[in-house]
Amino acid sequence: ETMSFTASQIAGAEIELAKLGFRRDEIKSIVEDVARLSVVGGGSVEDSAALTAQTLNAFNLSVSDSDDVVSALGVSTAKTAASFETLRQGANQVFNTANAFGLKLEETLALVGALKDVGLSDSVATTATRNILLNLSDDTGKLRTALKGLGVKDVKGLDGIVGSLKTLRAAN
């Protein structure tokens, strides 16, 4: 696959990466992955740089993980109704919360993608994902209290989220 970007576009991507705290050597090693995300995901190379950097930062990943991050983001746009814009909103609204909850990037993308697949808008899908995670994290909140009443003691990972929501649905 051939990627063609202007020097100005690549410089813009490098500036975005620098703004988000990446060093020159890190920027050099990540810029090709960023360009690939731009082609696959449909965003500008500058926006792809910001999304890649935000994702790495939110999930406490290193630059050496950029290829895997870009692949996961690209697969999400190819296999779900999530668009590049959905992922950008996810990076802003969901990724830090998901990491704090213990979800991996791929699990987070699957959850957001599933909500997009049922027809939710970008903002509703990302806000709902964040709210689900926050509510599952709040031991004294209504959702956790209801789940505890149904015998669900702990919710870990995507399987735990799906299982707990199925339990709640079956009880209602």
Side-chain angles (χ1 to χ4, degrees):
E1 115 191 18
T2 302
M3 296 183 287
S4 179
F5 296 98
T6 67
S8 177
Q9 288 171 310
I10 295 300
E14 291 173 342
I15 289 168
E16 285 299 318
L17 292 167
K19 282 195 244 178
L20 289 164
F22 290 84
R23 298 183 321 265
R24 177 176 283 165
D25 60 318
E26 293 173 322
I27 292 168
K28 294 292 182 203
S29 70
I30 194 176
V31 77
E32 188 173 323
D33 290 331
V34 165
R36 188 165 45 93
L37 178 59
S38 177
V39 171
V40 173
S44 72
V45 71
E46 294 88 349
D47 288 344
S48 296
L51 176 57
T52 302
Q54 288 172 316
T55 303
L56 289 168
N57 290 338
F59 285 95
N60 299 317
L61 299 170
S62 71
V63 171
S64 64
D65 296 311
S66 65
D67 182 56
D68 293 335
V69 165
V70 164
S71 293
L73 294 169
V75 165
S76 180
T77 62
K79 295 200 175 211
T80 72
S83 65
F84 187 85
E85 185 56 34
T86 309
L87 301 180
R88 283 182 49 176
Q89 288 189 23
N92 289 325
Q93 295 181 4
V94 178
F95 290 2
N96 285 314
T97 303
N99 184 49
F101 186 79
L103 288 184
K104 296 176 183 172
L105 171 61
E106 294 80 3
E107 293 173 317
T108 305
L109 294 172
L111 187 54
V112 172
L115 293 175
K116 281 295 295 174
D117 287 347
V118 297
L120 299 181
S121 69
D122 292 340
S123 63
V124 172
T126 55
T127 301
T129 301
R130 183 174 185 273
N131 288 341
I132 289 167
L133 297 175
L134 290 172
N135 284 311
L136 287 172
S137 298
D138 180 3
D139 283 336
T140 61
K142 289 180 183 178
L143 180 58
R144 288 293 290 139
T145 302
L147 288 170
K148 285 178 189 174
L150 296 171
V152 177
K153 303 273 188 248
D154 201 18
V155 180
K156 298 276 186 200
L158 182 60
D159 290 339
I161 293 170
V162 171
S164 66
L165 295 176
K166 284 181 179 177
T167 299
L168 192 60
R169 182 175 177 192
N172 290 320

